[in-house]
Amino acid sequence: MPQQLEGTVAIITGAGSGIGRHMSLAFAAEGARVAVCDIAEDRARETAQMIAQAGGDALAIGMDVTDEAAVNDGVDQTVARWGRLDTMVANAGIQIVHPVEDFPYEEFRKVVDIHLHGSFLLTKASVRHMYPQKSGSLIYMGSVHSHEPSPLKSAYVAAKHAILGLARVMAREGGPHGVRSNIICPGFVRTPLVEKQIPEQARDLNISEQDVVEKIMLGRTVDHEFTTLQDVSDVAVFLAGFRSNALTGQSIVPSHGWYMA
Ligand code: NAD
C-alpha cells in the first residue's frame, strides 16, 4: 500500500509524550520526515530514536513553544534539514485544574501561554515557509473542550476555544496561499496529562477516582470508552494527507460521541 505521507515534512510539538509521540511515530510510519519538538529535549530525542529504529527519519528539537526565538529556530532547522515544510501540528499542552476563585493567575497564564500563544508562534513561523511553497497543512490540537465547558478547567477551556478560533482564521488567511487549517478535538485519551487529573479532580469535586473516570470523563460518551492514541493519530494522518484543500476550517471530534458537532 502506498504511504499516505510519502516525501512530506512535518513538525510536531509536545512530541516527547502521549499524543504527540504517537502522532510522530504514525507520521513517520506513513513516510513523513518528522521534526519532533518538546520542552523536554531528552524525551524528544527518545521519540526520534524510536522513529529511527523503525526505519524512519526524524530530527529531535528541544523547544519551549512559548519562546518565539526557539520556535522560529526549530522551524528554520526543520526546513534547513529537509528543504520544505508540509505539516505543522501544534500539540504541546498542559492541564491545570482549580475553581476560578482559587486559580493562581500565574497558572492561568501558563496554560493559555502554552496552548494558545504556542499555537500562534508555531503558526507564524510555519506559514513563512508554507506560503512561498503555496501549500501546507496546519493542524491544531483542540479538545472536546474547544466546544464544551467543564468545571475547574477555565484556563484550558478558554485556551482550547481560542485555538478553535485561530484554526478558523488560518483557514481564511491561509486559503489564498494554498494552506489549509483544521483542528482535532479529542475526548479523553489516557496519557500522562489525563492520569494526573484523575486524583486532582476526585479531590476538588470530592468524589471517588472511579466516579471521575465513569461520570466526568466518560459519562457523556455513547459507549463509555476512552478515545485512543491511535484514533487521534489516524485523524492527524488523514488531515495531513488529504489530497485537496476542500477540507479546511474544520473541527474533527474523535470522542465516542461525547460532543456531536
Ligand atoms: P502529555 O502530557 O502526554 O504530552 C504533552 C507534551 O507537551 C509533553 O511531552 C510536554 O513536555 C510537552 N510540553 C509541555 N509544555 C511545553 C512547552 N512549553 N513547549 C513544548 N512542549 C511542551 O499530554 P497529551 O495528553 O499527549 O496532550 C497533548 C495535546 O493533546 C495537548 O494539547 C492536550 O491539550 C491535547 N488533548 C489531550 C487529551 C487527552 O485526553 N489526553 C484530550 C484532548 C486534547
Side-chain angles (χ1 to χ4, degrees), residues 13-20 37-40 43 63-66 91-94 114-115 141-144 156 160 185-194:
T13 63
S17 175
I19 291 172
C37 310
D38 205 288
I39 195 167
R43 284 196 276 108
M63 177 200 288
D64 176 351
V65 295
T66 66
N91 168 76
I94 60 165
I114 293 174
H115 286 276
M141 192 51 62
S143 159
V144 164
Y156 187 83
K160 290 301 194 190
C185 296
F188 282 101
V189 183
R190 289 202 90 142
T191 65
L193 178 139
V194 161

PDB file of all heavy atoms in Angstrom, residues 13-20 37-40 43 63-66 91-94 114-115 141-144 156 160 185-194, ligand 1:
ATOM      1  N   THR A  13       4.864  19.505  17.853  1.00  0.00           N
ATOM      2  CA  THR A  13       5.294  19.929  19.194  1.00  0.00           C
ATOM      3  C   THR A  13       4.670  19.021  20.256  1.00  0.00           C
ATOM      4  O   THR A  13       3.671  18.340  20.008  1.00  0.00           O
ATOM      5  CB  THR A  13       4.909  21.396  19.474  1.00  0.00           C
ATOM      6  OG1 THR A  13       3.482  21.514  19.455  1.00  0.00           O
ATOM      7  CG2 THR A  13       5.530  22.343  18.463  1.00  0.00           C
ATOM      8  N   GLY A  14       5.268  19.035  21.433  1.00  0.00           N
ATOM      9  CA  GLY A  14       4.791  18.152  22.504  1.00  0.00           C
ATOM     10  C   GLY A  14       4.989  16.692  22.108  1.00  0.00           C
ATOM     11  O   GLY A  14       4.211  15.820  22.494  1.00  0.00           O
ATOM     12  N   ALA A  15       6.055  16.439  21.344  1.00  0.00           N
ATOM     13  CA  ALA A  15       6.240  15.118  20.739  1.00  0.00           C
ATOM     14  C   ALA A  15       7.048  14.165  21.619  1.00  0.00           C
ATOM     15  O   ALA A  15       7.395  13.071  21.199  1.00  0.00           O
ATOM     16  CB  ALA A  15       6.918  15.273  19.374  1.00  0.00           C
ATOM     17  N   GLY A  16       7.302  14.569  22.868  1.00  0.00           N
ATOM     18  CA  GLY A  16       8.060  13.697  23.767  1.00  0.00           C
ATOM     19  C   GLY A  16       7.172  12.812  24.617  1.00  0.00           C
ATOM     20  O   GLY A  16       7.669  12.057  25.454  1.00  0.00           O
ATOM     21  N   SER A  17       5.877  12.868  24.426  1.00  0.00           N
ATOM     22  CA  SER A  17       4.965  12.105  25.295  1.00  0.00           C
ATOM     23  C   SER A  17       3.626  11.923  24.592  1.00  0.00           C
ATOM     24  O   SER A  17       3.344  12.566  23.573  1.00  0.00           O
ATOM     25  CB  SER A  17       4.775  12.890  26.606  1.00  0.00           C
ATOM     26  OG  SER A  17       3.817  12.280  27.454  1.00  0.00           O
ATOM     27  N   GLY A  18       2.810  11.049  25.143  1.00  0.00           N
ATOM     28  CA  GLY A  18       1.393  10.933  24.815  1.00  0.00           C
ATOM     29  C   GLY A  18       1.038  11.031  23.342  1.00  0.00           C
ATOM     30  O   GLY A  18       1.590  10.328  22.482  1.00  0.00           O
ATOM     31  N   ILE A  19       0.091  11.915  23.055  1.00  0.00           N
ATOM     32  CA  ILE A  19      -0.459  12.052  21.702  1.00  0.00           C
ATOM     33  C   ILE A  19       0.623  12.486  20.709  1.00  0.00           C
ATOM     34  O   ILE A  19       0.710  11.958  19.598  1.00  0.00           O
ATOM     35  CB  ILE A  19      -1.637  13.064  21.723  1.00  0.00           C
ATOM     36  CG1 ILE A  19      -2.829  12.466  22.501  1.00  0.00           C
ATOM     37  CG2 ILE A  19      -2.056  13.455  20.315  1.00  0.00           C
ATOM     38  CD1 ILE A  19      -3.979  13.449  22.742  1.00  0.00           C
ATOM     39  N   GLY A  20       1.457  13.443  21.099  1.00  0.00           N
ATOM     40  CA  GLY A  20       2.477  13.961  20.183  1.00  0.00           C
ATOM     41  C   GLY A  20       3.487  12.893  19.800  1.00  0.00           C
ATOM     42  O   GLY A  20       3.901  12.797  18.639  1.00  0.00           O
ATOM     43  N   CYS A  37       9.478  17.950  18.474  1.00  0.00           N
ATOM     44  CA  CYS A  37       9.854  19.049  19.362  1.00  0.00           C
ATOM     45  C   CYS A  37       9.205  18.873  20.723  1.00  0.00           C
ATOM     46  O   CYS A  37       8.024  18.518  20.813  1.00  0.00           O
ATOM     47  CB  CYS A  37       9.348  20.372  18.789  1.00  0.00           C
ATOM     48  SG  CYS A  37       9.768  20.613  17.065  1.00  0.00           S
ATOM     49  N   ASP A  38       9.982  19.139  21.758  1.00  0.00           N
ATOM     50  CA  ASP A  38       9.410  19.114  23.108  1.00  0.00           C
ATOM     51  C   ASP A  38      10.289  19.962  24.006  1.00  0.00           C
ATOM     52  O   ASP A  38      11.496  20.075  23.772  1.00  0.00           O
ATOM     53  CB  ASP A  38       9.327  17.679  23.657  1.00  0.00           C
ATOM     54  CG  ASP A  38       8.240  17.522  24.709  1.00  0.00           C
ATOM     55  OD1 ASP A  38       8.433  18.036  25.852  1.00  0.00           O
ATOM     56  OD2 ASP A  38       7.202  16.911  24.418  1.00  0.00           O
ATOM     57  N   ILE A  39       9.655  20.537  25.036  1.00  0.00           N
ATOM     58  CA  ILE A  39      10.441  21.284  26.019  1.00  0.00           C
ATOM     59  C   ILE A  39      11.384  20.315  26.738  1.00  0.00           C
ATOM     60  O   ILE A  39      12.464  20.710  27.158  1.00  0.00           O
ATOM     61  CB  ILE A  39       9.504  22.041  26.997  1.00  0.00           C
ATOM     62  CG1 ILE A  39      10.280  23.081  27.773  1.00  0.00           C
ATOM     63  CG2 ILE A  39       8.754  21.087  27.912  1.00  0.00           C
ATOM     64  CD1 ILE A  39       9.405  24.081  28.522  1.00  0.00           C
ATOM     65  N   ALA A  40      10.972  19.061  26.875  1.00  0.00           N
ATOM     66  CA  ALA A  40      11.822  18.012  27.450  1.00  0.00           C
ATOM     67  C   ALA A  40      12.621  17.406  26.301  1.00  0.00           C
ATOM     68  O   ALA A  40      12.174  16.472  25.631  1.00  0.00           O
ATOM     69  CB  ALA A  40      10.969  16.956  28.135  1.00  0.00           C
ATOM     70  N   ARG A  43      13.225  13.662  26.036  1.00  0.00           N
ATOM     71  CA  ARG A  43      12.088  12.847  25.579  1.00  0.00           C
ATOM     72  C   ARG A  43      11.843  13.041  24.078  1.00  0.00           C
ATOM     73  O   ARG A  43      11.405  12.126  23.392  1.00  0.00           O
ATOM     74  CB  ARG A  43      10.850  13.123  26.426  1.00  0.00           C
ATOM     75  CG  ARG A  43      10.975  12.426  27.792  1.00  0.00           C
ATOM     76  CD  ARG A  43       9.692  12.309  28.551  1.00  0.00           C
ATOM     77  NE  ARG A  43       9.401  13.510  29.300  1.00  0.00           N
ATOM     78  CZ  ARG A  43       8.461  14.377  28.988  1.00  0.00           C
ATOM     79  NH1 ARG A  43       7.683  14.180  27.929  1.00  0.00           N
ATOM     80  NH2 ARG A  43       8.279  15.452  29.717  1.00  0.00           N
ATOM     81  N   MET A  63      12.419  22.494  22.390  1.00  0.00           N
ATOM     82  CA  MET A  63      11.722  23.750  22.083  1.00  0.00           C
ATOM     83  C   MET A  63      10.653  24.039  23.123  1.00  0.00           C
ATOM     84  O   MET A  63       9.793  23.207  23.392  1.00  0.00           O
ATOM     85  CB  MET A  63      11.034  23.632  20.709  1.00  0.00           C
ATOM     86  CG  MET A  63      10.215  24.856  20.315  1.00  0.00           C
ATOM     87  SD  MET A  63       8.999  24.499  19.031  1.00  0.00           S
ATOM     88  CE  MET A  63      10.020  24.281  17.611  1.00  0.00           C
ATOM     89  N   ASP A  64      10.735  25.238  23.709  1.00  0.00           N
ATOM     90  CA  ASP A  64       9.630  25.730  24.535  1.00  0.00           C
ATOM     91  C   ASP A  64       8.731  26.530  23.594  1.00  0.00           C
ATOM     92  O   ASP A  64       9.165  27.553  23.043  1.00  0.00           O
ATOM     93  CB  ASP A  64      10.186  26.614  25.654  1.00  0.00           C
ATOM     94  CG  ASP A  64       9.087  27.238  26.507  1.00  0.00           C
ATOM     95  OD1 ASP A  64       7.895  27.132  26.145  1.00  0.00           O
ATOM     96  OD2 ASP A  64       9.432  27.842  27.541  1.00  0.00           O
ATOM     97  N   VAL A  65       7.492  26.084  23.415  1.00  0.00           N
ATOM     98  CA  VAL A  65       6.638  26.729  22.400  1.00  0.00           C
ATOM     99  C   VAL A  65       6.243  28.159  22.770  1.00  0.00           C
ATOM    100  O   VAL A  65       5.691  28.875  21.944  1.00  0.00           O
ATOM    101  CB  VAL A  65       5.357  25.907  22.103  1.00  0.00           C
ATOM    102  CG1 VAL A  65       5.692  24.565  21.478  1.00  0.00           C
ATOM    103  CG2 VAL A  65       4.477  25.746  23.336  1.00  0.00           C
ATOM    104  N   THR A  66       6.540  28.587  23.988  1.00  0.00           N
ATOM    105  CA  THR A  66       6.229  29.970  24.363  1.00  0.00           C
ATOM    106  C   THR A  66       7.418  30.910  24.106  1.00  0.00           C
ATOM    107  O   THR A  66       7.337  32.096  24.399  1.00  0.00           O
ATOM    108  CB  THR A  66       5.804  30.087  25.842  1.00  0.00           C
ATOM    109  OG1 THR A  66       6.925  29.767  26.671  1.00  0.00           O
ATOM    110  CG2 THR A  66       4.650  29.168  26.158  1.00  0.00           C
ATOM    111  N   ASN A  91       0.681  20.836  19.100  1.00  0.00           N
ATOM    112  CA  ASN A  91       0.112  19.846  20.019  1.00  0.00           C
ATOM    113  C   ASN A  91       0.538  20.035  21.468  1.00  0.00           C
ATOM    114  O   ASN A  91      -0.131  19.537  22.371  1.00  0.00           O
ATOM    115  CB  ASN A  91       0.529  18.445  19.517  1.00  0.00           C
ATOM    116  CG  ASN A  91       0.262  17.358  20.533  1.00  0.00           C
ATOM    117  OD1 ASN A  91      -0.880  16.959  20.719  1.00  0.00           O
ATOM    118  ND2 ASN A  91       1.309  16.892  21.214  1.00  0.00           N
ATOM    119  N   ALA A  92       1.631  20.755  21.721  1.00  0.00           N
ATOM    120  CA  ALA A  92       2.145  20.855  23.097  1.00  0.00           C
ATOM    121  C   ALA A  92       1.053  21.392  24.020  1.00  0.00           C
ATOM    122  O   ALA A  92       0.311  22.298  23.651  1.00  0.00           O
ATOM    123  CB  ALA A  92       3.352  21.788  23.139  1.00  0.00           C
ATOM    124  N   GLY A  93       0.961  20.807  25.202  1.00  0.00           N
ATOM    125  CA  GLY A  93      -0.064  21.303  26.120  1.00  0.00           C
ATOM    126  C   GLY A  93       0.128  20.806  27.535  1.00  0.00           C
ATOM    127  O   GLY A  93       0.869  19.848  27.785  1.00  0.00           O
ATOM    128  N   ILE A  94      -0.527  21.491  28.456  1.00  0.00           N
ATOM    129  CA  ILE A  94      -0.540  21.084  29.863  1.00  0.00           C
ATOM    130  C   ILE A  94      -1.976  21.245  30.375  1.00  0.00           C
ATOM    131  O   ILE A  94      -2.814  21.861  29.709  1.00  0.00           O
ATOM    132  CB  ILE A  94       0.403  21.931  30.742  1.00  0.00           C
ATOM    133  CG1 ILE A  94       0.001  23.421  30.687  1.00  0.00           C
ATOM    134  CG2 ILE A  94       1.852  21.746  30.343  1.00  0.00           C
ATOM    135  CD1 ILE A  94       0.636  24.256  31.789  1.00  0.00           C
ATOM    136  N   ILE A 114       0.978  28.369  26.852  1.00  0.00           N
ATOM    137  CA  ILE A 114       1.483  27.174  26.157  1.00  0.00           C
ATOM    138  C   ILE A 114       0.522  26.778  25.033  1.00  0.00           C
ATOM    139  O   ILE A 114       0.940  26.547  23.900  1.00  0.00           O
ATOM    140  CB  ILE A 114       1.721  26.019  27.156  1.00  0.00           C
ATOM    141  CG1 ILE A 114       2.875  26.394  28.093  1.00  0.00           C
ATOM    142  CG2 ILE A 114       1.991  24.709  26.411  1.00  0.00           C
ATOM    143  CD1 ILE A 114       3.131  25.426  29.225  1.00  0.00           C
ATOM    144  N   HIS A 115      -0.770  26.722  25.339  1.00  0.00           N
ATOM    145  CA  HIS A 115      -1.722  26.255  24.317  1.00  0.00           C
ATOM    146  C   HIS A 115      -1.910  27.301  23.220  1.00  0.00           C
ATOM    147  O   HIS A 115      -1.707  27.013  22.039  1.00  0.00           O
ATOM    148  CB  HIS A 115      -3.084  25.943  24.956  1.00  0.00           C
ATOM    149  CG  HIS A 115      -3.084  24.684  25.757  1.00  0.00           C
ATOM    150  ND1 HIS A 115      -3.269  23.451  25.190  1.00  0.00           N
ATOM    151  CD2 HIS A 115      -2.909  24.464  27.078  1.00  0.00           C
ATOM    152  CE1 HIS A 115      -3.213  22.516  26.136  1.00  0.00           C
ATOM    153  NE2 HIS A 115      -2.992  23.111  27.289  1.00  0.00           N
ATOM    154  N   MET A 141      -4.185  21.103  17.905  1.00  0.00           N
ATOM    155  CA  MET A 141      -4.735  20.154  18.852  1.00  0.00           C
ATOM    156  C   MET A 141      -5.703  20.901  19.762  1.00  0.00           C
ATOM    157  O   MET A 141      -5.314  21.626  20.669  1.00  0.00           O
ATOM    158  CB  MET A 141      -3.602  19.498  19.651  1.00  0.00           C
ATOM    159  CG  MET A 141      -4.053  18.298  20.458  1.00  0.00           C
ATOM    160  SD  MET A 141      -4.985  17.069  19.520  1.00  0.00           S
ATOM    161  CE  MET A 141      -3.759  16.563  18.313  1.00  0.00           C
ATOM    162  N   GLY A 142      -6.971  20.731  19.452  1.00  0.00           N
ATOM    163  CA  GLY A 142      -8.020  21.258  20.319  1.00  0.00           C
ATOM    164  C   GLY A 142      -8.417  20.185  21.299  1.00  0.00           C
ATOM    165  O   GLY A 142      -7.574  19.400  21.776  1.00  0.00           O
ATOM    166  N   SER A 143      -9.696  20.107  21.582  1.00  0.00           N
ATOM    167  CA  SER A 143     -10.224  19.145  22.547  1.00  0.00           C
ATOM    168  C   SER A 143     -11.742  19.256  22.452  1.00  0.00           C
ATOM    169  O   SER A 143     -12.253  20.261  21.915  1.00  0.00           O
ATOM    170  CB  SER A 143      -9.747  19.553  23.950  1.00  0.00           C
ATOM    171  OG  SER A 143     -10.562  18.987  24.952  1.00  0.00           O
ATOM    172  N   VAL A 144     -12.450  18.260  22.971  1.00  0.00           N
ATOM    173  CA  VAL A 144     -13.893  18.481  23.152  1.00  0.00           C
ATOM    174  C   VAL A 144     -14.078  19.811  23.898  1.00  0.00           C
ATOM    175  O   VAL A 144     -15.045  20.531  23.677  1.00  0.00           O
ATOM    176  CB  VAL A 144     -14.549  17.302  23.908  1.00  0.00           C
ATOM    177  CG1 VAL A 144     -15.924  17.679  24.435  1.00  0.00           C
ATOM    178  CG2 VAL A 144     -14.667  16.090  22.990  1.00  0.00           C
ATOM    179  N   TYR A 156      -7.972  26.014  30.597  1.00  0.00           N
ATOM    180  CA  TYR A 156      -7.856  25.051  29.490  1.00  0.00           C
ATOM    181  C   TYR A 156      -8.994  25.233  28.492  1.00  0.00           C
ATOM    182  O   TYR A 156      -8.780  25.267  27.270  1.00  0.00           O
ATOM    183  CB  TYR A 156      -7.882  23.643  30.089  1.00  0.00           C
ATOM    184  CG  TYR A 156      -7.601  22.516  29.130  1.00  0.00           C
ATOM    185  CD1 TYR A 156      -6.294  22.150  28.802  1.00  0.00           C
ATOM    186  CD2 TYR A 156      -8.647  21.769  28.565  1.00  0.00           C
ATOM    187  CE1 TYR A 156      -6.039  21.094  27.945  1.00  0.00           C
ATOM    188  CE2 TYR A 156      -8.395  20.703  27.713  1.00  0.00           C
ATOM    189  CZ  TYR A 156      -7.082  20.365  27.408  1.00  0.00           C
ATOM    190  OH  TYR A 156      -6.835  19.307  26.552  1.00  0.00           O
ATOM    191  N   LYS A 160      -8.567  26.360  24.696  1.00  0.00           N
ATOM    192  CA  LYS A 160      -8.957  25.449  23.602  1.00  0.00           C
ATOM    193  C   LYS A 160     -10.047  26.078  22.722  1.00  0.00           C
ATOM    194  O   LYS A 160     -10.062  25.830  21.506  1.00  0.00           O
ATOM    195  CB  LYS A 160      -9.414  24.102  24.162  1.00  0.00           C
ATOM    196  CG  LYS A 160      -8.294  23.254  24.763  1.00  0.00           C
ATOM    197  CD  LYS A 160      -7.195  22.930  23.751  1.00  0.00           C
ATOM    198  CE  LYS A 160      -6.268  21.817  24.224  1.00  0.00           C
ATOM    199  NZ  LYS A 160      -5.077  21.685  23.359  1.00  0.00           N
ATOM    200  N   CYS A 185     -10.252  17.614  17.850  1.00  0.00           N
ATOM    201  CA  CYS A 185     -10.819  17.870  19.183  1.00  0.00           C
ATOM    202  C   CYS A 185     -11.167  16.557  19.890  1.00  0.00           C
ATOM    203  O   CYS A 185     -12.344  16.171  19.969  1.00  0.00           O
ATOM    204  CB  CYS A 185     -12.068  18.743  19.030  1.00  0.00           C
ATOM    205  SG  CYS A 185     -11.703  20.376  18.373  1.00  0.00           S
ATOM    206  N   PRO A 186     -10.156  15.868  20.440  1.00  0.00           N
ATOM    207  CA  PRO A 186     -10.422  14.549  21.022  1.00  0.00           C
ATOM    208  C   PRO A 186     -11.161  14.616  22.352  1.00  0.00           C
ATOM    209  O   PRO A 186     -11.081  15.605  23.090  1.00  0.00           O
ATOM    210  CB  PRO A 186      -9.016  13.973  21.256  1.00  0.00           C
ATOM    211  CG  PRO A 186      -8.056  14.888  20.583  1.00  0.00           C
ATOM    212  CD  PRO A 186      -8.728  16.214  20.485  1.00  0.00           C
ATOM    213  N   GLY A 187     -11.840  13.499  22.654  1.00  0.00           N
ATOM    214  CA  GLY A 187     -12.320  13.261  24.013  1.00  0.00           C
ATOM    215  C   GLY A 187     -11.141  12.795  24.860  1.00  0.00           C
ATOM    216  O   GLY A 187      -9.982  12.939  24.462  1.00  0.00           O
ATOM    217  N   PHE A 188     -11.410  12.242  26.031  1.00  0.00           N
ATOM    218  CA  PHE A 188     -10.314  11.847  26.926  1.00  0.00           C
ATOM    219  C   PHE A 188      -9.508  10.676  26.360  1.00  0.00           C
ATOM    220  O   PHE A 188     -10.065   9.675  25.933  1.00  0.00           O
ATOM    221  CB  PHE A 188     -10.861  11.464  28.301  1.00  0.00           C
ATOM    222  CG  PHE A 188     -11.216  12.664  29.138  1.00  0.00           C
ATOM    223  CD1 PHE A 188     -12.532  13.075  29.260  1.00  0.00           C
ATOM    224  CD2 PHE A 188     -10.228  13.385  29.790  1.00  0.00           C
ATOM    225  CE1 PHE A 188     -12.861  14.192  30.020  1.00  0.00           C
ATOM    226  CE2 PHE A 188     -10.544  14.506  30.547  1.00  0.00           C
ATOM    227  CZ  PHE A 188     -11.860  14.907  30.663  1.00  0.00           C
ATOM    228  N   VAL A 189      -8.179  10.864  26.375  1.00  0.00           N
ATOM    229  CA  VAL A 189      -7.225   9.837  25.953  1.00  0.00           C
ATOM    230  C   VAL A 189      -6.329   9.583  27.158  1.00  0.00           C
ATOM    231  O   VAL A 189      -5.870  10.548  27.793  1.00  0.00           O
ATOM    232  CB  VAL A 189      -6.351  10.352  24.778  1.00  0.00           C
ATOM    233  CG1 VAL A 189      -5.415   9.260  24.283  1.00  0.00           C
ATOM    234  CG2 VAL A 189      -7.214  10.884  23.636  1.00  0.00           C
ATOM    235  N   ARG A 190      -6.032   8.325  27.475  1.00  0.00           N
ATOM    236  CA  ARG A 190      -5.262   8.057  28.699  1.00  0.00           C
ATOM    237  C   ARG A 190      -3.777   8.320  28.478  1.00  0.00           C
ATOM    238  O   ARG A 190      -3.008   7.434  28.131  1.00  0.00           O
ATOM    239  CB  ARG A 190      -5.504   6.629  29.176  1.00  0.00           C
ATOM    240  CG  ARG A 190      -6.903   6.469  29.729  1.00  0.00           C
ATOM    241  CD  ARG A 190      -7.041   5.312  30.660  1.00  0.00           C
ATOM    242  NE  ARG A 190      -6.771   5.720  32.031  1.00  0.00           N
ATOM    243  CZ  ARG A 190      -7.435   5.254  33.083  1.00  0.00           C
ATOM    244  NH1 ARG A 190      -8.394   4.368  32.922  1.00  0.00           N
ATOM    245  NH2 ARG A 190      -7.137   5.657  34.308  1.00  0.00           N
ATOM    246  N   THR A 191      -3.396   9.572  28.698  1.00  0.00           N
ATOM    247  CA  THR A 191      -1.987   9.980  28.604  1.00  0.00           C
ATOM    248  C   THR A 191      -1.598  10.512  29.985  1.00  0.00           C
ATOM    249  O   THR A 191      -2.464  10.707  30.848  1.00  0.00           O
ATOM    250  CB  THR A 191      -1.813  11.114  27.574  1.00  0.00           C
ATOM    251  OG1 THR A 191      -2.524  12.252  28.070  1.00  0.00           O
ATOM    252  CG2 THR A 191      -2.352  10.740  26.213  1.00  0.00           C
ATOM    253  N   PRO A 192      -0.292  10.821  30.190  1.00  0.00           N
ATOM    254  CA  PRO A 192       0.105  11.384  31.496  1.00  0.00           C
ATOM    255  C   PRO A 192      -0.717  12.623  31.880  1.00  0.00           C
ATOM    256  O   PRO A 192      -1.047  12.832  33.051  1.00  0.00           O
ATOM    257  CB  PRO A 192       1.575  11.739  31.278  1.00  0.00           C
ATOM    258  CG  PRO A 192       2.052  10.765  30.239  1.00  0.00           C
ATOM    259  CD  PRO A 192       0.873  10.523  29.334  1.00  0.00           C
ATOM    260  N   LEU A 193      -1.106  13.435  30.866  1.00  0.00           N
ATOM    261  CA  LEU A 193      -1.879  14.656  31.137  1.00  0.00           C
ATOM    262  C   LEU A 193      -3.225  14.319  31.788  1.00  0.00           C
ATOM    263  O   LEU A 193      -3.716  15.036  32.662  1.00  0.00           O
ATOM    264  CB  LEU A 193      -2.069  15.414  29.817  1.00  0.00           C
ATOM    265  CG  LEU A 193      -2.870  16.708  29.777  1.00  0.00           C
ATOM    266  CD1 LEU A 193      -2.168  17.718  28.851  1.00  0.00           C
ATOM    267  CD2 LEU A 193      -4.274  16.484  29.255  1.00  0.00           C
ATOM    268  N   VAL A 194      -3.809  13.210  31.380  1.00  0.00           N
ATOM    269  CA  VAL A 194      -5.125  12.810  31.901  1.00  0.00           C
ATOM    270  C   VAL A 194      -4.985  12.023  33.201  1.00  0.00           C
ATOM    271  O   VAL A 194      -5.754  12.218  34.152  1.00  0.00           O
ATOM    272  CB  VAL A 194      -5.890  12.013  30.806  1.00  0.00           C
ATOM    273  CG1 VAL A 194      -7.012  11.190  31.400  1.00  0.00           C
ATOM    274  CG2 VAL A 194      -6.452  12.986  29.773  1.00  0.00           C
TER     275      VAL A 194
HETATM  276  P1  NAD B   1       1.217  14.755  27.573  1.00  0.00           P
HETATM  277  O1  NAD B   1       1.381  15.404  28.898  1.00  0.00           O
HETATM  278  O2  NAD B   1       1.364  13.282  27.461  1.00  0.00           O
HETATM  279  O3  NAD B   1       2.178  15.432  26.485  1.00  0.00           O
HETATM  280  C1  NAD B   1       2.304  16.829  26.377  1.00  0.00           C
HETATM  281  C2  NAD B   1       3.719  17.147  25.943  1.00  0.00           C
HETATM  282  O4  NAD B   1       3.815  18.573  25.773  1.00  0.00           O
HETATM  283  C3  NAD B   1       4.779  16.749  26.975  1.00  0.00           C
HETATM  284  O5  NAD B   1       5.788  15.968  26.369  1.00  0.00           O
HETATM  285  C4  NAD B   1       5.323  18.081  27.476  1.00  0.00           C
HETATM  286  O6  NAD B   1       6.703  18.036  27.826  1.00  0.00           O
HETATM  287  C5  NAD B   1       5.084  18.974  26.266  1.00  0.00           C
HETATM  288  N1  NAD B   1       5.086  20.391  26.641  1.00  0.00           N
HETATM  289  C6  NAD B   1       4.508  20.968  27.729  1.00  0.00           C
HETATM  290  N2  NAD B   1       4.796  22.274  27.760  1.00  0.00           N
HETATM  291  C7  NAD B   1       5.546  22.538  26.665  1.00  0.00           C
HETATM  292  C8  NAD B   1       6.143  23.714  26.142  1.00  0.00           C
HETATM  293  N3  NAD B   1       6.036  24.884  26.775  1.00  0.00           N
HETATM  294  N4  NAD B   1       6.836  23.622  24.984  1.00  0.00           N
HETATM  295  C9  NAD B   1       6.969  22.443  24.338  1.00  0.00           C
HETATM  296  N5  NAD B   1       6.445  21.290  24.796  1.00  0.00           N
HETATM  297  C10 NAD B   1       5.731  21.346  25.945  1.00  0.00           C
HETATM  298  O7  NAD B   1      -0.241  15.216  27.086  1.00  0.00           O
HETATM  299  P2  NAD B   1      -1.200  14.707  25.907  1.00  0.00           P
HETATM  300  O8  NAD B   1      -2.412  14.146  26.541  1.00  0.00           O
HETATM  301  O9  NAD B   1      -0.449  13.895  24.925  1.00  0.00           O
HETATM  302  O10 NAD B   1      -1.629  16.098  25.281  1.00  0.00           O
HETATM  303  C11 NAD B   1      -1.191  16.556  24.007  1.00  0.00           C
HETATM  304  C12 NAD B   1      -2.210  17.561  23.475  1.00  0.00           C
HETATM  305  O11 NAD B   1      -3.475  16.913  23.295  1.00  0.00           O
HETATM  306  C13 NAD B   1      -2.467  18.753  24.401  1.00  0.00           C
HETATM  307  O12 NAD B   1      -2.624  19.924  23.627  1.00  0.00           O
HETATM  308  C14 NAD B   1      -3.779  18.379  25.064  1.00  0.00           C
HETATM  309  O13 NAD B   1      -4.488  19.504  25.500  1.00  0.00           O
HETATM  310  C15 NAD B   1      -4.479  17.682  23.911  1.00  0.00           C
HETATM  311  N6  NAD B   1      -5.584  16.822  24.314  1.00  0.00           N
HETATM  312  C16 NAD B   1      -5.372  15.769  25.157  1.00  0.00           C
HETATM  313  C17 NAD B   1      -6.447  14.971  25.512  1.00  0.00           C
HETATM  314  C18 NAD B   1      -6.285  13.808  26.431  1.00  0.00           C
HETATM  315  O14 NAD B   1      -7.314  13.302  26.906  1.00  0.00           O
HETATM  316  N7  NAD B   1      -5.086  13.337  26.720  1.00  0.00           N
HETATM  317  C19 NAD B   1      -7.720  15.238  25.003  1.00  0.00           C
HETATM  318  C20 NAD B   1      -7.893  16.318  24.145  1.00  0.00           C
HETATM  319  C21 NAD B   1      -6.808  17.089  23.802  1.00  0.00           C
END
